Structures are given as C-alpha cells and as structure tokens.
Amino acid sequence: MRPLRDNGLSILFGALFLVTLIGQSIAGYLEHNEELREHGQALVSFGSFVTSSEFVVDVAENWQSEFLQFFLFIAATIWLVQRGSPESKKPGDEGVGTDEEQKVGEHALEDSPSWARARGLRQVVFSNSLLLVMGTVFVLSWLAQSLAGTVVMNSENALHGQPPITWLEYLGTPDFWSRTLQNWQSEFLAVGAMIALSIFLRQRGSSESKPVGVPHHTTAIESD
C-alpha cells in the first residue's frame, strides 16, 4: 500500500483525468452524431470521432490553456512575490537563487539528481526543465488546436458553400481567438483567485494553505 500512499495525488488526478476525458469523448460523440442526424448525414463510429479534428480541437484548446497557466505561474514566481500567499516566496527572495541554495554543482547533495551535480548545459537544462516542458506542451497543444480548428472550420465552410481557408487565415478568425481567450481568462482568474484568497483563507492540513493560526501578512515559507 505504500506506493499508493506515496503517489496518492498523482494517482487521483491521473484517474480523474482519464474518467473525464472518456466522459468528454462519449458526450462529444453523441452530440456530434446528433448534429449529423439533424443534417441528414451518415453517422460516424466512436473510433472515427475520437480521432477527428472536432474532438482534437476541443481537447487541445483545454490543454494549451492549462499548460500556459502553469508556464506563466512558474515563470512569474521566480521574480514576483505576493506577501502573505503560500503560493509565493517571501519578499526579498526574488530571483533564481544561489548555487548553494539550489544545491547544484559543488553544493549538490549525495543523492541529488546527476544533472544537478553536472556543469554547463546539462545543469542549465535541468535547472529549467519544468518550465521547458510546460512551455513545450503548451506550444504543441496550441499548434494542435489551431490545425484541428482549421479543419473543423473548413468542414463547416464546405457545408455552407464557402471556400476553404488556410491555417494562417484561421489564426486571424474570431472563432480561433474566442476559443483561445475564453480558456485563458478562466485560467488566469483561477490562479489569481488562489494567490489572493490564500492570503486570508485557510484549509487545515493542505500544503496549499498556511497553518491556520499564521497571520495574514506572513508568507507560508516565513512561518517554517
């Protein structure tokens, strides 16, 4: 049972991700076939739907906004602080920190990752690996959303007797930016609310909250 306990958060959210993705695919499949039925067109199989641009664009637009949120949050917390929030370093600790603080190079611990002990490019890559991966997934998800969205729009244009458009033309359409910005604004709102509300509100036992009795103005790391 220890592996389950030690990896409980990853297992929970991995399971929730799979359940909701499957649920989205089933609901989207039923909705898509209902639309085809209303237009007198042939229905598609479930396998055809989940590999279609209609499904990919909906999934990708959610993924890209989520990874953009974390990419910006990780980058912003290097240099910006919010006094009193457990999501922030304490004021005065802005920046990337010294090698000693980060336990890299000659200051690495005996059981530190090998790339933390390395020098040069490997250490630079590992030191920024979280931001690099988040940014890469965001860019790839955004690209998948835009390409799939182009296919979907051209399918709709064909139904209405309109000419197809290119990928670059789609990037300038209201449809693309409506899909994109409605997700971005919700992610920014959620992160901003978490940062601000955690200054004044508590959740006993959560690592995302300060201890219940810590003053509002105290940043979580200052209470250790």
Side-chain angles (χ1 to χ4, degrees):
M1 295 298 294
R2 183 171 180 176
L4 294 178
R5 183 200 67 186
D6 290 350
N7 300 283
L9 280 172
S10 297
I11 292 171
L12 172 64
F13 282 96
L16 288 173
F17 165 72
L18 291 176
V19 168
T20 52
L21 182 62
I22 292 171
Q24 178 190 357
S25 66
I26 294 173
Y29 167 67
L30 296 175
E31 180 185 23
H32 183 65
N33 270 343
E34 182 61 30
E35 292 177 356
L36 292 177
R37 188 179 294 109
E38 291 176 355
H39 288 85
Q41 297 181 328
L43 305 185
V44 300
S45 67
F46 180 73
S48 296
F49 172 73
V50 296
T51 56
S52 69
S53 296
E54 285 81 2
F55 181 67
V56 170
V57 71
D58 288 336
V59 172
E61 74 179 60
N62 288 321
W63 288 18
Q64 58 96 358
S65 64
E66 296 291 344
F67 281 94
L68 174 64
Q69 169 197 165
F70 286 111
F71 175 83
L72 292 178
F73 184 58
I74 294 166
T77 53
I78 298 173
W79 300 103
L80 303 178
V81 298
Q82 176 58 61
R83 181 178 293 277
S85 175
E87 303 296 323
S88 168
K89 296 184 288 190
K90 66 180 180 180
D93 282 353
E94 298 90 340
V96 297
T98 64
D99 286 355
E100 183 177 4
E101 293 170 336
Q102 294 294 316
K103 304 292 189 294
V104 296
E106 63 183 19
H107 302 287
L109 305 176
E110 183 178 342
D111 56 351
S112 293
S114 59
W115 280 37
R117 295 193 295 271
R119 296 186 180 278
L121 181 60
R122 285 193 299 166
Q123 186 188 115
V124 171
V125 170
F126 187 66
S127 297
N128 298 280
S129 54
L130 183 59
L131 200 60
L132 290 171
V133 169
M134 290 292 181
T136 300
V137 177
F138 160 68
V139 171
L140 293 177
S141 300
W142 178 87
L143 182 61
Q145 176 202 347
S146 63
L147 292 173
T150 304
V151 174
V152 172
M153 175 160 280
N154 280 333
S155 297
E156 294 175 352
N157 287 347
L159 289 175
H160 294 88
Q162 298 176 342
I165 63 173
T166 66
W167 175 66
L168 288 176
E169 289 174 330
Y170 177 68
L171 294 183
T173 62
D175 178 79
F176 173 74
W177 287 106
S178 175
R179 284 178 174 273
T180 299
L181 294 176
Q182 70 176 330
N183 284 291
W184 287 5
Q185 56 87 14
S186 64
E187 303 302 339
F188 298 153
L189 173 63
V191 172
M194 182 66 179
I195 292 170
L197 293 176
S198 62
I199 299 172
F200 306 103
L201 306 179
R202 309 286 191 274
Q203 179 53 59
R204 184 169 185 157
S206 174
S207 62
E208 297 303 305
S209 170
K210 296 181 290 189
V212 177
V214 168
H216 292 324
H217 63 80
T218 302
T219 306
I221 195 170
E222 297 176 306
S223 65
D224 294 339

